[in-house]
Amino acid sequence: MDALETILAYHDRSKHHPHRYAAGPSGLDWPNQPDPFRRFDGAPLVRLPLPRQDDTPPYELIYRPGAILPASLTLESLSRFWECSLALSAWKAYGDSRWSLRINPSSGNLHPTEGYLVLGDEVPEVEGPAVYHYAPGEHALEKRCPFSRKTWRILMSPFPAGAFLIGLSSIHWREAWKYGERAFRYCQHDVGHALGALRVAAGLLGWQLSVLEELSDRQVTSLLGLDRRADFAEAEPEEPDLIAVVCPAAEGAVVPRRLPAEVLPVVAGSEWAGRANPLSAKAVKWEAIDLAARATAKPATTVAPCRFPGTRPAPPAAPTPTGGPTSREIIVQRRSGTAYDGRTGMSAGAFYRMLGRLVPRAEKRGLPWDCICWSPRIHLLLFVHLIEPLTPGLYALVRDGEQAGRLREALKENFAWTSPPGCPDQLPLYKLREMDCRRTARQLSLGQDIAGSGAFSLAMVADFDGSLRESGAWFYRRLFWEAGLIGQVLYLEAEAAGLRGTGIGAYFDDKVHETFGLVDRRFQSLYHFTVGGPIEDPRLTTQPPYPAANG
Ligand SMILES: Cc1cc2nc3c(=O)[nH]c(=O)nc-3n(C[C@H](O)[C@H](O)[C@H](O)COP(=O)(O)O)c2cc1C
């Protein structure tokens, strides 16, 4: 089987059906539960002091290109960047159990995604240049590999002064422990969420962030030291995801989405410190995941350079919001709703505003869509329950207007395709069919109430077959990343609207397709989401993410 056939076969076998769920473990092996914290024992630890005051801009401002003056790169801004992206957000306790939550969500709270930083010598307290691993439990950096200033200069020569790199990798085992074969999909969603969290954290500091889309997975592996056999001897491996450049001062720069390849072996050949901790006592293999990972390994590719907008703030189009929550407040309060009240709805105006955030604008893509380089491949099929004054029913949001025809052709012929009342012209939202779809939404999500008891829920359908045939099997992961980015925006937008959101990875794939009339692989549903008025669980207590001494 070639790579494309392999990933299509994986996609089919990892679907849930009412009569057969995707293969998973027969029960949860609690003693073998993976440690949520990867550490590199022996690597020097650099603690990031938590900023004492919340000086972050209003949440509403982060979506306005050029509205936030870039913060200079200091220990404090670097700490803020991680605090608002991959750090812990709280500890929860119930009876004898205690578990941490993070700024970025993760299927089953299992957190397969690891963060890396490659930093120069701009921050004296951190003493670069070096490759660091971010340790969320400590809010600290583990210094894996110092290297020379000369190597740093060559590595960063394509980028504006002050730029640094971040990296993401995934430990598939963390998700596979609970979800078996479907876990590979969830790991990719989580990459999308983590990338979205990082883009937003960069944005609130006025920084640009762009994924270096030309790099091969082999190059990502090499820079992050993921193939260092001796360091991972007993430990579960990390799969390369991405490297992105963060530019605190981009000055309208045009930069390539690659690194000077010749310098990567120099970093890889430098001296590395630390050995990865084993996360579980015994290794369990999920062959289908290994095959999917291999089939979707990314080769080096060529894409257009990235054009950062000018950093000088343009005069704001609308008055600058002064009140309202800060971006940090919204980011740290984000949680997944575990139950919704079935009563709280939202106004059509708020709904349209929220959906508007999910549609990249053509010339200025805006945050977070500016961190990826491909055109939108994911559209939304919505189950509207409680949006005043919209009629409940099935709706569609076409995120790339040029594809409206193709999507329409693939969906049921007798759908209405009418514009809902008061819908702004630039929002490509359509009513497909009036119906009470609460029960349908619930049933499609494996009977999960959360899909039917919010204001609305939705399926993210990808332009699937065409995207994979055009770009190659490796693009499979990107489709899930894009879905994760949509989910991340929805999580924050739900909080900003006084509601709550939940990502839904568990649904009956082909039943969803049937509901909308999708009969082939042109479009496939990759992720679901729900937004509504949450019911809190009063049994849980909440504790701060870090001891006060960290602040
Ligand atoms: C990819 C993904 C899939 C998820 N699927 C479900 C789901 O099917 N049902 C559910 O109740 N929660 C689901 N969640 C929510 C997670 O359980 C939640 O993010 C995790 O417990 C961490 O809690 P937090 O989001 O409040 O930090 C999903 C989250 C993600 C990111």
Side-chain angles (χ1 to χ4, degrees), residues 208-284:
Q208 303 295 330
L209 185 152
S210 178
V211 176
L212 299 180
E213 252 314 302
E214 294 199 3
L215 298 185
S216 67
D217 280 0
R218 210 179 270 266
Q219 290 173 316
V220 177
T221 296
S222 168
L223 184 60
L224 303 182
L226 306 180
D227 55 355
R228 298 185 52 78
R229 288 234 178 97
D231 300 350
F232 284 88
E234 309 291 316
E236 297 78 0
E238 294 179 26
E239 187 74 19
D241 294 320
L242 60 88
I243 289 180
V245 63
V246 182
C247 295
E251 305 287 334
V254 177
V255 298
R257 296 180 197 261
R258 62 170 177 271
L259 293 167
E262 69 280 8
V263 82
L264 297 177
V266 181
V267 178
S270 305
E271 201 159 314
W272 291 68
R275 292 181 66 132
N277 58 336
L279 307 175
S280 288
K282 60 176 199 273
V284 180

Side-chain angles (χ1 to χ4, degrees), residues 285-490:
K285 264 213 135 344
W286 286 94
E287 185 70 25
I289 292 187
D290 294 345
L291 285 174
R294 241 175 285 149
T296 54
K298 184 182 178 297
T301 49
T302 319
V303 290
C306 159
R307 288 165 195 282
F308 292 123
T311 52
R312 226 166 274 284
T320 305
T322 43
T326 67
S327 37
R328 181 185 178 278
E329 277 167 344
I330 293 292
I331 287 166
V332 303
Q333 79 177 47
R334 185 211 61 78
R335 298 278 184 279
S336 291
T338 51
Y340 291 96
D341 62 18
R343 287 190 317 273
T344 308
M346 62 193 295
S347 70
F351 181 57
Y352 297 150
R353 247 194 325 279
M354 189 179 280
L355 295 185
R357 291 262 149 90
L358 304 176
V359 183
R361 280 156 296 169
E363 55 326 339
K364 281 189 183 159
R365 284 164 70 100
L367 195 140
W369 314 113
D370 57 359
C371 76
I372 54 172
C373 61
W374 61 91
S375 58
R377 304 300 165 94
I378 305 252
H379 308 291
L380 309 186
L381 299 177
L382 299 113
F383 306 90
V384 166
H385 308 312
L386 288 165
I387 311 283
E388 270 303 317
L390 300 198
T391 325
L394 307 181
Y395 288 69
L397 179 76
V398 188
R399 291 181 61 249
D400 180 352
E402 286 185 16
Q403 293 185 34
R406 293 188 53 241
L407 185 64
R408 190 166 178 164
E409 211 179 273
L411 295 179
K412 279 187 180 160
E413 263 180 31
N414 59 0
F415 279 156
W417 290 92
T418 53
S419 186
C423 182
D425 287 346
Q426 69 277 18
L427 188 69
L429 177 71
Y430 304 92
K431 181 165 74 182
L432 303 178
R433 170 169 295 166
E434 294 182 5
M435 64 185 277
D436 178 345
C437 50
R438 289 175 293 184
R439 193 153 153 255
T440 308
R442 207 175 288 136
Q443 281 174 340
L444 293 176
S445 297
L446 271 61
Q448 298 187 80
D449 270 344
I450 55 172
S453 52
F456 70 96
S457 63
L458 57 88
M460 303 184 201
V461 291
D463 179 339
F464 189 75
D465 210 46
S467 300
L468 298 185
R469 285 184 199 283
E470 184 188 317
S471 300
W474 60 270
F475 205 77
Y476 184 74
R477 301 190 192 189
R478 267 68 185 170
L479 293 175
F480 283 88
W481 298 2
E482 187 179 331
L485 282 171
I486 293 172
Q488 190 62 20
V489 175
L490 281 170

Side-chain angles (χ1 to χ4, degrees), residues 89 101-102 104-109 111 179 186 189-190 193 334-338 448 450 491 502-506 527:
S89 57
L101 294 177
R102 301 199 194 180
N104 54 317
S106 165
S107 188
N109 200 27
H111 289 285
Y179 296 111
Y186 296 163
H189 289 131
D190 283 7
H193 279 289
R334 185 211 61 78
R335 298 278 184 279
S336 291
T338 51
Q448 298 187 80
I450 55 172
Y491 264 118
T502 312
I504 302 182
Y527 191 22

Side-chain angles (χ1 to χ4, degrees), residues 73-74 78 118-130 132 143 147-150 152-153 156 161-164:
L73 177 58
T74 61
L78 193 62
V118 188
L119 188 70
D121 56 5
E122 289 87 355
V123 184
E125 299 88 338
V126 182
E127 283 183 47
Y132 299 87
K143 194 173 196 170
F147 56 88
S148 74
R149 287 201 167 82
K150 183 174 163 222
W152 171 256
R153 273 197 301 277
M156 300 305 283
F164 61 89

Side-chain angles (χ1 to χ4, degrees), residues 88-108:
L88 303 189
S89 57
W91 284 89
K92 289 276 176 187
Y94 175 61
D96 292 339
S97 309
R98 187 170 178 265
W99 63 96
S100 59
L101 294 177
R102 301 199 194 180
I103 296 296
N104 54 317
S106 165
S107 188

Side-chain angles (χ1 to χ4, degrees), residues 54 56-57 59 62-63 80-89 102-105 196-205 325-335 367 488 491-492 495-496:
D54 181 358
T56 62
Y59 171 73
I62 62 175
Y63 294 99
R80 179 74 85 203
F81 175 63
W82 291 104
E83 185 213 17
C84 288
S85 55
L86 303 188
L88 303 189
S89 57
R102 301 199 194 180
I103 296 296
N104 54 317
L198 287 157
R199 177 64 194 102
V200 167
L204 69 87
L205 290 156
T326 67
S327 37
R328 181 185 178 278
E329 277 167 344
I330 293 292
I331 287 166
V332 303
Q333 79 177 47
R334 185 211 61 78
R335 298 278 184 279
L367 195 140
Q488 190 62 20
Y491 264 118
L492 298 180
E495 298 292 338

